[in-house]
Amino acid sequence: TGAHVLDRAGTKIKCKGPAWVGAGHALIVVVSSAGYSRIAVGNNWIRYSPPTISRLSPSKVESPGPVTITITGANFGKNNLDVSGKLSLAGGGVIPCSPLVLVSDLSVLCTLTGSNLEGTLVVSVGTPFSGGAQSASRTLLALETSATLQMTLA
């Protein structure tokens, strides 16, 4: 995919590329002038900002699930295949988001099913094919379970 050159100044080229995700990508630059061409190749020359999570809604959930969590943040990307999510349980173990739905670059829906839904919700964006994954996390709490009081009158 090509990039649009915005500015040329000395030895620096400023350009705007397509939106994407990933920790780092290779870049090939070809410069041609007056019959002279030069090629430069660099790994990790293009980097994208990691995802961020600003809010979980709800941030406290009842167990057992299923429960769908709306994850609000930024830099989740444009392709559902680049995004994964899981709940790392406080007592150990992992519950994957199933399904995980990418609503937009700013919002993801994660459905969790399990008996103890308390831990750290982790969203990863990127794959080995898109420069590597970058992650963001936020704590998800379980609601206090209410006790039922039974009284017998004599």
Side-chain angles (χ1 to χ4, degrees):
T1 303
H4 176 70
V5 176
L6 300 174
D7 183 30
R8 296 178 194 105
T11 59
K12 187 176 185 179
I13 298 174
K14 185 177 181 181
C15 61
K16 183 176 181 177
W20 204 24
V21 297
H25 299 274
L27 177 66
I28 300 171
V29 178
V30 179
V31 178
S32 297
S33 177
Y36 172 78
S37 290
R38 182 167 178 173
I39 298 174
V41 179
N43 286 324
N44 296 317
W45 280 8
I46 297 177
R47 296 179 184 270
Y48 289 91
S49 298
T52 60
I53 298 174
S54 56
R55 188 171 65 122
L56 300 178
S57 181
S59 59
K60 294 182 179 182
V61 296
E62 288 188 44
S63 293
V67 63
T68 299
I69 309 293
T70 300
I71 304 165
T72 305
N75 303 322
F76 294 135
K78 293 185 173 193
N79 184 345
N80 204 71
L81 297 175
D82 287 332
V83 185
S84 63
K86 64 183 178 184
L87 179 66
S88 295
L89 300 173
V94 171
I95 299 174
C97 294
S98 184
L100 181 130
V101 178
L102 176 65
V103 177
S104 71
D105 186 48
L106 305 173
S107 181
V108 174
L109 300 176
C110 169
T111 301
L112 298 167
T113 304
S115 58
N116 178 16
L117 300 178
E118 183 167 282
T120 303
L121 192 59
V122 179
V123 175
S124 297
V125 178
T127 66
F129 303 107
S130 66
Q134 300 183 87
S135 300
S137 62
R138 190 102 175 187
T139 301
L140 182 68
L141 299 173
L143 284 173
E144 297 291 326
T145 55
S146 57
T148 303
L149 179 62
Q150 256 186 340
M151 295 177 62
T152 305
L153 297 175

